[in-house]
Coordinates of all heavy atoms in Angstrom, one line a residue:
M1 N -63.6 78.7 54.4 CA -64.4 77.7 55.1 C -63.5 76.8 56.0 O -62.5 76.4 55.7 CB -65.2 76.9 54.1 CG -65.9 75.7 54.6 SD -66.7 74.7 53.4 CE -67.7 75.8 52.5
A2 N -64.0 76.7 57.2 CA -63.3 75.7 58.1 C -63.3 74.2 57.8 O -64.2 73.8 57.2 CB -63.8 75.9 59.5
R3 N -62.1 73.6 58.0 CA -62.1 72.2 57.8 C -62.8 71.5 58.8 O -63.1 72.0 59.9 CB -60.5 71.8 57.8 CG -59.8 72.3 56.6 CD -58.5 71.7 56.4 NE -57.7 72.4 55.5 CZ -57.8 72.1 54.2 NH1 -58.6 71.2 53.7 NH2 -57.0 72.7 53.2
G4 N -63.2 70.2 58.5 CA -63.9 69.3 59.4 C -63.0 68.1 59.8 O -62.2 67.7 58.9
Y5 N -63.1 67.6 61.0 CA -62.2 66.6 61.4 C -63.1 65.5 62.0 O -64.0 65.8 62.8 CB -61.3 67.0 62.4 CG -60.3 68.1 61.8 CD1 -60.7 69.4 61.8 CD2 -59.1 67.6 61.3 CE1 -59.7 70.3 61.2 CE2 -58.2 68.5 60.7 CZ -58.6 69.9 60.6 OH -57.7 70.7 60.1
W6 N -62.8 64.3 61.8 CA -63.3 63.1 62.5 C -62.3 62.9 63.6 O -61.1 62.8 63.4 CB -63.4 61.9 61.8 CG -64.4 61.7 60.7 CD1 -65.3 62.5 60.3 CD2 -64.6 60.5 59.8 NE1 -66.0 62.0 59.2 CE2 -65.6 60.8 59.0 CE3 -63.9 59.3 59.7 CZ2 -66.0 59.9 58.1 CZ3 -64.4 58.4 58.8 CH2 -65.4 58.7 58.0
V7 N -62.7 62.8 64.9 CA -61.9 62.4 66.0 C -62.6 61.1 66.5 O -63.6 61.1 67.1 CB -61.9 63.5 67.2 CG1 -61.0 63.1 68.2 CG2 -61.3 64.8 66.6
V8 N -61.8 60.0 66.4 CA -62.3 58.7 66.6 C -61.5 58.1 67.8 O -60.2 58.0 67.6 CB -62.2 57.8 65.4 CG1 -62.9 56.4 65.7 CG2 -63.0 58.4 64.2
T9 N -62.1 57.7 68.8 CA -61.4 57.0 69.9 C -62.1 55.7 70.1 O -63.4 55.5 70.1 CB -61.5 57.8 71.3 OG1 -62.8 58.0 71.6 CG2 -60.6 58.9 71.0
F10 N -61.3 54.7 70.2 CA -61.8 53.3 70.5 C -61.9 53.1 72.0 O -60.9 53.3 72.6 CB -60.9 52.2 69.9 CG -61.1 52.1 68.4 CD1 -60.6 53.1 67.6 CD2 -61.8 51.0 67.9 CE1 -60.7 52.9 66.2 CE2 -61.8 50.8 66.5 CZ -61.3 51.8 65.6
R11 N -63.1 52.8 72.5 CA -63.3 52.5 74.0 C -62.9 51.1 74.3 O -62.4 50.9 75.4 CB -64.7 52.8 74.4 CG -65.1 54.3 74.1 CD -66.5 54.5 74.6 NE -66.9 56.0 74.4 CZ -67.5 56.6 75.1 NH1 -68.1 56.0 76.3 NH2 -67.8 57.9 74.9
S12 N -63.1 50.2 73.4 CA -62.7 48.9 73.7 C -62.6 48.2 72.3 O -63.3 48.5 71.4 CB -63.7 48.1 74.6 OG -65.0 48.0 73.9
V13 N -61.7 47.1 72.3 CA -61.5 46.3 71.1 C -61.5 44.8 71.6 O -60.7 44.5 72.5 CB -60.2 46.7 70.4 CG1 -60.0 45.7 69.3 CG2 -60.3 48.1 69.9
S14 N -62.3 44.0 71.0 CA -62.4 42.7 71.4 C -61.9 41.7 70.2 O -61.6 40.5 70.5 CB -63.8 42.2 71.8 OG -64.6 42.4 70.8
D15 N -61.7 42.2 69.1 CA -61.2 41.5 67.9 C -60.4 42.4 67.0 O -60.9 43.1 66.1 CB -62.4 41.0 67.1 CG -61.9 40.0 66.1 OD1 -60.8 40.0 65.6 OD2 -62.8 39.0 65.8
E16 N -59.1 42.4 67.2 CA -58.1 43.2 66.5 C -58.3 42.9 65.0 O -58.0 43.9 64.1 CB -56.7 43.0 67.0 CG -56.5 43.6 68.4 CD -56.3 45.1 68.4 OE1 -56.1 45.7 67.3 OE2 -56.4 45.7 69.4
S17 N -58.4 41.7 64.5 CA -58.4 41.4 63.1 C -59.5 42.1 62.4 O -59.5 42.5 61.3 CB -58.4 39.8 62.9 OG -59.6 39.4 63.3
R18 N -60.6 42.1 63.1 CA -61.9 42.8 62.5 C -61.7 44.3 62.4 O -62.2 45.0 61.5 CB -63.1 42.4 63.3 CG -63.4 40.9 63.0 CD -64.6 40.4 63.5 NE -65.8 41.2 63.0 CZ -67.0 41.1 63.6 NH1 -67.3 40.3 64.6 NH2 -68.0 41.8 63.1
V19 N -61.0 44.9 63.5 CA -60.7 46.3 63.3 C -59.7 46.5 62.2 O -59.9 47.6 61.4 CB -60.1 46.7 64.7 CG1 -59.6 48.2 64.7 CG2 -61.1 46.6 65.8
D20 N -58.8 45.7 62.0 CA -57.9 45.9 60.8 C -58.7 45.7 59.5 O -58.4 46.4 58.5 CB -56.8 44.8 60.9 CG -55.8 45.1 62.0 OD1 -55.7 46.1 62.5 OD2 -55.1 44.0 62.3
A21 N -59.7 44.7 59.4 CA -60.4 44.7 58.2 C -61.2 45.9 58.1 O -61.4 46.4 56.9 CB -61.4 43.4 58.4
Y22 N -61.8 46.5 59.1 CA -62.5 47.8 58.9 C -61.5 48.8 58.5 O -62.0 49.7 57.5 CB -63.1 48.3 60.3 CG -63.3 49.7 60.5 CD1 -64.2 50.4 59.8 CD2 -62.2 50.5 61.1 CE1 -64.4 51.8 59.9 CE2 -62.3 51.9 61.1 CZ -63.4 52.5 60.6 OH -63.5 53.8 60.5
A23 N -60.4 49.0 58.9 CA -59.4 50.0 58.5 C -59.2 49.8 57.0 O -59.1 50.8 56.3 CB -58.1 50.0 59.3
D24 N -59.0 48.6 56.6 CA -58.7 48.4 55.1 C -60.0 48.8 54.3 O -59.8 49.4 53.2 CB -58.4 46.9 54.9 CG -57.0 46.5 55.4 OD1 -56.1 47.4 55.7 OD2 -56.8 45.4 55.6
A25 N -61.1 48.4 54.7 CA -62.4 48.7 54.0 C -62.8 50.2 54.0 O -63.3 50.7 53.1 CB -63.5 47.8 54.5
S26 N -62.5 50.9 55.2 CA -62.9 52.3 55.3 C -62.1 53.2 54.6 O -62.5 54.3 54.1 CB -63.0 52.6 56.8 OG -61.8 52.7 57.3
L27 N -60.8 53.0 54.4 CA -59.9 53.9 53.8 C -60.3 54.5 52.4 O -60.4 55.6 52.1 CB -58.4 53.4 53.8 CG -57.4 54.4 53.3 CD1 -57.4 55.7 54.2 CD2 -56.0 53.8 53.3
P28 N -60.6 53.5 51.5 CA -61.1 53.9 50.2 C -62.3 54.8 50.2 O -62.4 55.8 49.5 CB -61.4 52.6 49.3 CG -60.5 51.6 50.1 CD -60.5 52.0 51.6
A29 N -63.3 54.4 51.1 CA -64.5 55.3 51.2 C -64.2 56.6 51.8 O -64.6 57.7 51.3 CB -65.5 54.6 52.2
I30 N -63.2 56.8 52.7 CA -62.9 58.0 53.3 C -62.2 58.8 52.2 O -62.5 60.0 52.0 CB -61.8 57.8 54.5 CG1 -62.6 57.2 55.6 CG2 -61.1 59.1 54.9 CD1 -61.8 56.7 56.8
Q31 N -61.3 58.2 51.5 CA -60.5 59.0 50.4 C -61.5 59.4 49.3 O -61.3 60.5 48.8 CB -59.4 58.2 50.0 CG -58.3 57.9 51.0 CD -57.1 57.0 50.5 OE1 -57.4 56.1 49.7 NE2 -56.0 57.2 51.1
R32 N -62.4 58.7 48.9 CA -63.3 59.0 47.9 C -64.2 60.3 48.3 O -64.6 61.0 47.4 CB -64.3 57.8 47.6 CG -64.0 57.0 46.4 CD -65.1 56.1 46.0 NE -65.5 55.2 46.9 CZ -64.8 54.0 47.1 NH1 -63.8 53.7 46.5 NH2 -65.4 53.2 48.1
H33 N -64.3 60.4 49.6 CA -65.0 61.7 50.0 C -64.1 62.8 50.4 O -64.5 63.7 51.1 CB -66.0 61.3 51.1 CG -67.1 60.4 50.7 ND1 -68.2 61.0 50.2 CD2 -67.2 59.0 50.6 CE1 -69.1 60.0 49.8 NE2 -68.5 58.8 50.0
G34 N -62.8 62.7 50.0 CA -61.8 63.8 50.2 C -61.2 63.8 51.6 O -60.4 64.7 51.9
G35 N -61.3 62.7 52.3 CA -60.8 62.6 53.7 C -59.2 62.2 53.6 O -58.8 61.5 52.7
R36 N -58.6 62.8 54.5 CA -57.1 62.5 54.7 C -56.9 62.1 56.1 O -57.1 62.8 57.0 CB -56.3 63.8 54.3 CG -56.5 64.2 52.9 CD -56.0 65.7 52.7 NE -56.8 66.7 53.4 CZ -57.9 67.2 53.1 NH1 -58.6 66.8 52.1 NH2 -58.6 68.1 53.8
V37 N -56.4 60.9 56.3 CA -56.1 60.3 57.6 C -54.8 61.0 58.1 O -53.7 60.8 57.5 CB -55.8 58.8 57.5 CG1 -55.5 58.3 59.0 CG2 -57.2 58.1 57.0
L38 N -54.9 61.8 59.1 CA -53.8 62.6 59.6 C -52.9 61.8 60.7 O -51.7 61.9 60.8 CB -54.2 63.8 60.4 CG -55.0 64.9 59.5 CD1 -55.4 66.0 60.3 CD2 -54.1 65.3 58.3
A39 N -53.7 60.9 61.4 CA -53.0 60.0 62.4 C -53.9 58.9 62.8 O -55.1 59.1 62.8 CB -52.7 60.8 63.6
A40 N -53.3 57.7 63.0 CA -54.2 56.6 63.5 C -53.2 55.7 64.2 O -52.2 55.4 63.7 CB -54.8 55.9 62.3
G41 N -53.7 55.1 65.3 CA -52.9 54.1 65.9 C -53.1 54.2 67.5 O -54.0 54.9 67.9
V42 N -52.3 53.5 68.2 CA -52.3 53.5 69.7 C -51.4 54.7 70.1 O -50.4 55.0 69.5 CB -51.7 52.1 70.2 CG1 -51.7 52.3 71.7 CG2 -52.5 51.0 69.6
P43 N -52.0 55.5 71.1 CA -51.2 56.6 71.6 C -49.8 56.3 72.2 O -49.6 55.3 72.6 CB -52.1 57.0 72.9 CG -53.4 56.4 72.7 CD -53.2 55.1 72.0
A44 N -48.9 57.2 71.8 CA -47.5 57.1 72.2 C -47.5 57.4 73.8 O -46.7 56.8 74.5 CB -46.7 58.1 71.5
F45 N -48.3 58.2 74.3 CA -48.4 58.7 75.7 C -49.9 58.9 76.0 O -50.7 59.3 75.2 CB -47.6 60.0 76.0 CG -46.1 59.9 75.6 CD1 -45.7 60.4 74.4 CD2 -45.3 59.4 76.5 CE1 -44.3 60.4 74.1 CE2 -44.0 59.3 76.2 CZ -43.5 59.8 75.0
N46 N -50.2 58.7 77.2 CA -51.6 58.9 77.7 C -51.5 59.9 79.0 O -50.6 59.6 79.8 CB -52.2 57.7 78.2 CG -52.6 56.7 77.0 OD1 -53.2 57.2 76.1 ND2 -52.1 55.5 77.0
H47 N -52.4 60.8 79.0 CA -52.3 61.7 80.1 C -53.9 61.9 80.7 O -54.8 61.7 79.9 CB -51.8 63.1 79.8 CG -50.5 63.0 79.4 ND1 -49.4 62.8 80.2 CD2 -49.8 63.1 78.1 CE1 -48.2 62.9 79.7 NE2 -48.4 63.0 78.3
E48 N -54.1 62.3 81.9 CA -55.3 62.5 82.5 C -56.1 61.3 82.3 O -55.7 60.2 82.9 CB -55.9 63.7 81.9 CG -55.1 64.9 82.2 CD -55.6 66.3 81.8 OE1 -56.8 66.5 81.8 OE2 -54.9 67.2 81.5
A49 N -57.3 61.3 81.8 CA -58.1 60.0 81.7 C -57.9 59.3 80.4 O -58.7 58.5 80.0 CB -59.6 60.4 81.8
G50 N -56.7 59.5 79.7 CA -56.4 58.9 78.5 C -56.4 57.3 78.6 O -56.1 56.7 79.5
S51 N -56.9 56.8 77.4 CA -56.9 55.3 77.3 C -55.9 55.0 76.4 O -55.5 55.7 75.4 CB -58.3 54.9 76.7 OG -58.4 53.7 76.3
N52 N -55.4 53.7 76.5 CA -54.4 53.2 75.6 C -55.0 52.4 74.4 O -54.3 51.5 73.8 CB -53.3 52.2 76.3 CG -52.0 52.2 75.7 OD1 -51.6 53.3 75.1 ND2 -51.5 51.1 75.5
Q53 N -56.2 52.8 74.0 CA -56.8 52.2 72.8 C -56.5 53.2 71.6 O -56.1 54.3 71.7 CB -58.4 52.1 73.0 CG -58.8 51.2 74.1 CD -58.5 49.7 73.7 OE1 -58.4 49.4 72.5 NE2 -58.6 48.8 74.7
R54 N -56.8 52.5 70.4 CA -56.7 53.2 69.1 C -57.3 54.6 69.1 O -58.3 54.8 69.6 CB -57.1 52.5 68.0 CG -56.4 51.1 67.7 CD -57.0 50.5 66.6 NE -56.4 49.1 66.4 CZ -56.2 48.5 65.2 NH1 -56.5 49.2 64.1 NH2 -55.7 47.4 65.1
V55 N -56.7 55.4 68.3 CA -57.3 56.8 68.0 C -57.0 57.1 66.6 O -56.0 56.7 66.0 CB -56.6 58.0 68.9 CG1 -57.1 59.3 68.6 CG2 -56.7 57.7 70.3
A56 N -57.9 57.8 65.9 CA -57.7 58.2 64.6 C -58.2 59.7 64.4 O -59.3 60.0 65.0 CB -58.5 57.3 63.5
M57 N -57.5 60.5 63.5 CA -57.9 61.7 63.2 C -57.9 61.9 61.7 O -57.0 61.6 61.0 CB -57.0 62.8 63.7 CG -57.1 62.9 65.3 SD -55.9 63.9 66.0 CE -55.8 65.3 65.0
V58 N -59.1 62.3 61.1 CA -59.2 62.4 59.6 C -59.7 63.8 59.3 O -60.6 64.3 60.0 CB -60.3 61.4 59.1 CG1 -60.4 61.5 57.6 CG2 -59.9 59.9 59.6
E59 N -59.1 64.4 58.4 CA -59.4 65.8 57.9 C -60.2 65.8 56.7 O -59.8 65.0 55.8 CB -58.1 66.5 57.7 CG -58.3 68.0 57.3 CD -56.9 68.7 57.0 OE1 -56.1 68.1 56.2 OE2 -56.7 69.6 57.7
F60 N -61.1 66.7 56.6 CA -61.9 66.9 55.4 C -62.0 68.4 55.1 O -61.6 69.2 56.0 CB -63.4 66.4 55.6 CG -63.5 64.9 55.8 CD1 -63.3 64.3 57.1 CD2 -63.9 64.2 54.7 CE1 -63.4 62.9 57.1 CE2 -63.9 62.7 54.8 CZ -63.7 62.2 56.1
D61 N -62.4 68.8 54.0 CA -62.4 70.2 53.5 C -63.4 71.0 54.4 O -63.3 72.2 54.4 CB -62.6 70.3 52.0 CG -61.4 69.9 51.2 OD1 -60.3 69.9 51.8 OD2 -61.6 69.5 50.0
S62 N -64.4 70.4 54.9 CA -65.5 71.0 55.6 C -66.1 70.1 56.5 O -66.0 68.9 56.4 CB -66.5 71.7 54.7 OG -67.3 70.6 54.1
V63 N -66.9 70.7 57.5 CA -67.7 69.8 58.4 C -68.7 69.1 57.6 O -69.0 68.0 57.9 CB -68.2 70.7 59.5 CG1 -69.3 70.0 60.4 CG2 -67.2 71.3 60.5
E64 N -69.3 69.7 56.7 CA -70.3 69.2 55.9 C -69.7 68.0 55.1 O -70.5 66.9 55.0 CB -71.0 70.1 55.0 CG -71.8 71.3 55.6 CD -70.9 72.4 56.3 OE1 -69.7 72.5 55.9 OE2 -71.4 73.1 57.1
A65 N -68.6 68.1 54.6 CA -67.9 66.9 53.9 C -67.7 65.8 54.9 O -67.8 64.7 54.5 CB -66.7 67.5 53.2
A66 N -67.2 66.1 56.1 CA -67.0 65.1 57.0 C -68.2 64.3 57.4 O -68.2 63.1 57.5 CB -66.4 65.7 58.3
E67 N -69.3 65.0 57.5 CA -70.6 64.4 57.9 C -71.1 63.6 56.8 O -71.6 62.4 56.8 CB -71.7 65.5 58.3 CG -73.0 64.8 58.6 CD -73.0 64.1 59.9 OE1 -72.1 63.9 60.6 OE2 -74.3 63.8 60.3
M68 N -71.0 64.1 55.5 CA -71.4 63.4 54.3 C -70.6 62.1 54.2 O -71.2 61.0 53.8 CB -71.4 64.2 53.1 CG -72.4 65.3 53.0 SD -72.2 66.5 51.6 CE -72.4 65.2 50.3
A69 N -69.3 62.1 54.3 CA -68.5 60.9 54.3 C -68.9 59.9 55.3 O -69.1 58.7 55.0 CB -67.1 61.3 54.5
Y70 N -69.1 60.4 56.6 CA -69.6 59.4 57.6 C -70.8 58.7 57.2 O -71.0 57.5 57.4 CB -69.7 60.1 59.0 CG -70.1 59.1 60.0 CD1 -69.0 58.4 60.6 CD2 -71.3 58.9 60.4 CE1 -69.3 57.4 61.6 CE2 -71.7 58.0 61.4 CZ -70.6 57.2 61.9 OH -70.9 56.2 62.9
L71 N -71.8 59.5 56.7 CA -73.2 58.9 56.4 C -73.2 58.2 55.0 O -74.2 57.6 54.7 CB -74.2 60.0 56.4 CG -74.4 60.7 57.7 CD1 -75.3 61.9 57.5 CD2 -74.9 59.8 58.7
S72 N -72.1 58.3 54.4 CA -72.1 57.7 52.9 C -72.3 56.1 53.0 O -72.0 55.4 54.0 CB -70.8 58.0 52.2 OG -69.7 57.2 52.7
H73 N -72.9 55.7 52.0 CA -73.2 54.2 51.9 C -71.8 53.3 52.1 O -71.8 52.4 52.7 CB -73.9 53.8 50.6 CG -74.1 52.3 50.4 ND1 -75.1 51.7 51.2 CD2 -73.5 51.6 49.6 CE1 -74.9 50.4 50.8 NE2 -73.9 50.2 49.8
E74 N -70.8 53.9 51.3 CA -69.5 53.1 51.4 C -69.0 53.1 52.7 O -68.5 52.0 53.1 CB -68.6 53.8 50.4 CG -68.9 54.1 49.0 CD -69.4 55.4 48.8 OE1 -70.4 55.9 49.5 OE2 -69.1 56.0 47.7
Y75 N -69.0 54.2 53.4 CA -68.4 54.1 54.8 C -69.3 53.4 55.7 O -68.7 52.5 56.4 CB -68.2 55.5 55.3 CG -67.6 55.5 56.6 CD1 -66.2 55.2 56.8 CD2 -68.2 55.7 57.8 CE1 -65.6 55.1 58.0 CE2 -67.6 55.5 59.0 CZ -66.3 55.2 59.1 OH -65.7 55.1 60.4
Q76 N -70.5 53.6 55.7 CA -71.4 52.7 56.6 C -71.3 51.3 56.3 O -71.3 50.5 57.3 CB -72.9 53.2 56.3 CG -73.2 54.5 56.9 CD -73.0 54.6 58.4 OE1 -73.5 53.8 59.1 NE2 -72.2 55.6 58.8
A77 N -71.0 50.8 55.1 CA -70.8 49.4 54.8 C -69.5 49.0 55.4 O -69.5 47.7 55.9 CB -70.7 49.2 53.3
S78 N -68.4 49.8 55.6 CA -67.3 49.4 56.2 C -67.4 49.1 57.7 O -66.6 48.3 58.3 CB -66.1 50.4 56.0 OG -66.3 51.6 56.7
L79 N -68.4 49.6 58.3 CA -68.7 49.6 59.8 C -69.1 48.2 60.1 O -69.0 47.8 61.3 CB -69.7 50.6 60.2 CG -69.3 52.0 60.2 CD1 -70.4 52.9 60.5 CD2 -68.1 52.3 61.0
Q80 N -69.5 47.3 59.1 CA -69.9 46.0 59.5 C -68.8 45.2 60.2 O -69.1 44.3 61.0 CB -70.4 45.3 58.2 CG -69.3 45.0 57.2 CD -69.6 44.2 56.0 OE1 -70.7 43.6 56.0 NE2 -68.9 44.3 55.0
H81 N -67.6 45.6 59.8 CA -66.5 44.8 60.3 C -66.3 45.1 61.9 O -65.7 44.3 62.6 CB -65.2 45.3 59.7 CG -65.1 44.9 58.2 ND1 -65.0 43.6 57.8 CD2 -65.3 45.7 57.1 CE1 -65.0 43.7 56.5 NE2 -65.3 44.8 56.0
L82 N -66.7 46.2 62.4 CA -66.6 46.6 63.8 C -67.8 46.0 64.6 O -67.6 46.0 65.9 CB -66.6 48.1 63.9 CG -65.6 48.8 63.3 CD1 -65.6 50.2 63.5 CD2 -64.2 48.3 63.9
A83 N -68.9 45.5 64.0 CA -70.0 45.0 64.8 C -69.6 43.9 65.7 O -69.0 42.8 65.3 CB -71.1 44.5 63.9
G84 N -69.6 44.0 67.1 CA -69.3 43.1 68.0 C -67.7 43.0 68.2 O -67.2 42.0 69.0
A85 N -67.0 43.9 67.6 CA -65.5 43.7 67.6 C -64.8 45.0 68.3 O -63.8 45.0 68.8 CB -64.9 43.6 66.2
A86 N -65.7 46.1 68.3 CA -65.1 47.3 68.9 C -66.3 48.3 69.3 O -67.3 48.2 68.6 CB -64.2 48.0 68.0
V87 N -66.0 49.1 70.3 CA -66.9 50.1 70.7 C -66.1 51.4 70.5 O -65.0 51.5 71.0 CB -67.3 50.0 72.1 CG1 -68.1 51.2 72.6 CG2 -68.0 48.7 72.4
R88 N -66.7 52.5 69.8 CA -65.9 53.7 69.5 C -66.8 54.9 69.9 O -67.9 54.8 70.0 CB -65.7 53.7 68.0 CG -65.0 52.7 67.4 CD -64.7 52.8 65.9 NE -65.8 53.4 65.1 CZ -65.7 53.9 63.9 NH1 -64.5 54.2 63.5 NH2 -66.8 54.4 63.3
D89 N -66.0 56.1 70.0 CA -66.7 57.3 70.2 C -66.2 58.2 69.0 O -65.0 58.2 68.7 CB -66.1 57.9 71.4 CG -66.6 59.3 71.8 OD1 -67.3 59.9 70.9 OD2 -66.2 59.9 72.7
V90 N -67.1 58.6 68.1 CA -66.8 59.3 66.9 C -67.4 60.7 67.0 O -68.6 60.8 67.2 CB -67.5 58.5 65.6 CG1 -67.1 59.4 64.3 CG2 -66.9 57.2 65.5
R91 N -66.6 61.6 66.9 CA -67.0 63.0 66.9 C -66.5 63.8 65.6 O -65.4 63.5 65.2 CB -66.4 63.7 68.1 CG -66.9 63.1 69.4 CD -66.1 63.6 70.6 NE -66.4 62.8 71.7 CZ -66.7 63.3 72.9 NH1 -66.5 64.6 73.2 NH2 -66.9 62.5 73.9
I92 N -67.4 64.6 65.1 CA -67.0 65.5 63.9 C -66.9 66.9 64.4 O -67.9 67.5 65.0 CB -68.0 65.3 62.8 CG1 -68.0 63.9 62.3 CG2 -67.7 66.3 61.7 CD1 -69.0 63.6 61.3
I93 N -65.8 67.5 64.3 CA -65.6 68.9 64.8 C -65.1 69.7 63.7 O -64.6 69.4 62.7 CB -64.5 68.9 66.1 CG1 -63.2 68.4 65.6 CG2 -65.1 68.0 67.2 CD1 -62.1 68.6 66.7
E94 N -65.3 71.1 63.9 CA -64.9 72.1 63.0 C -63.5 72.7 63.4 O -63.3 72.9 64.6 CB -65.8 73.2 63.0 CG -65.6 74.3 62.0 CD -66.6 75.3 62.0 OE1 -66.9 75.9 63.1 OE2 -67.2 75.6 60.9
G95 N -62.6 72.7 62.4 CA -61.3 73.3 62.6 C -61.4 74.7 62.8 O -62.3 75.4 62.5
R96 N -60.2 75.4 63.3 CA -60.2 76.8 63.4 C -59.4 77.5 62.3 O -58.6 76.9 61.8 CB -59.5 77.1 64.8 CG -60.4 76.7 65.8 CD -59.7 77.1 67.2 NE -60.6 76.6 68.2 CZ -61.0 77.4 69.3 NH1 -60.6 78.6 69.3 NH2 -61.7 76.9 70.1

């Protein structure tokens, strides 16, 4: 079975402290659902239309597990910290 990945890019951040609070609150929820944060932070380099905003990549055992984790009550509760503080693009993709 192919692994599933969250690819999260921040389009804008207006309150870094709330993004940090989200990161602290979301990690236990992600881990409870088998997620492993592979990378998170500001890009070291940007190319083409790249933005210098935060990026995160999270691995799950399957696309279904990734979707279930995103929709879970615990993870959705962590999103309250981002309301009015950040705009993101979240994609769930299947690994090869």
Side-chain angles (χ1 to χ4, degrees):
M1 178 182 300
R3 296 192 183 275
Y5 296 86
W6 289 1
V7 179
V8 181
T9 58
F10 284 74
R11 294 179 182 220
S12 66
V13 174
S14 59
D15 188 336
E16 291 283 345
S17 66
R18 292 185 58 195
V19 173
D20 291 341
Y22 153 78
D24 291 342
S26 67
L27 185 58
I30 290 167
Q31 291 174 333
R32 261 194 297 281
H33 290 274
R36 296 165 296 282
V37 177
L38 299 178
V42 177
F45 299 97
N46 292 302
H47 298 286
E48 299 184 29
S51 168
N52 205 39
Q53 294 289 343
R54 293 179 185 218
V55 178
M57 294 175 40
V58 182
E59 180 182 57
F60 292 87
D61 288 339
S62 67
V63 170
E64 293 77 16
E67 178 72 353
M68 289 176 58
Y70 183 83
L71 296 175
S72 72
H73 175 74
E74 305 100 308
Y75 182 75
Q76 289 296 307
S78 74
L79 293 177
Q80 70 179 337
H81 298 287
L82 295 178
V87 176
R88 305 184 313 156
D89 179 353
V90 179
R91 299 173 189 215
I92 297 175
I93 62 172
E94 184 175 55
R96 293 183 180 229

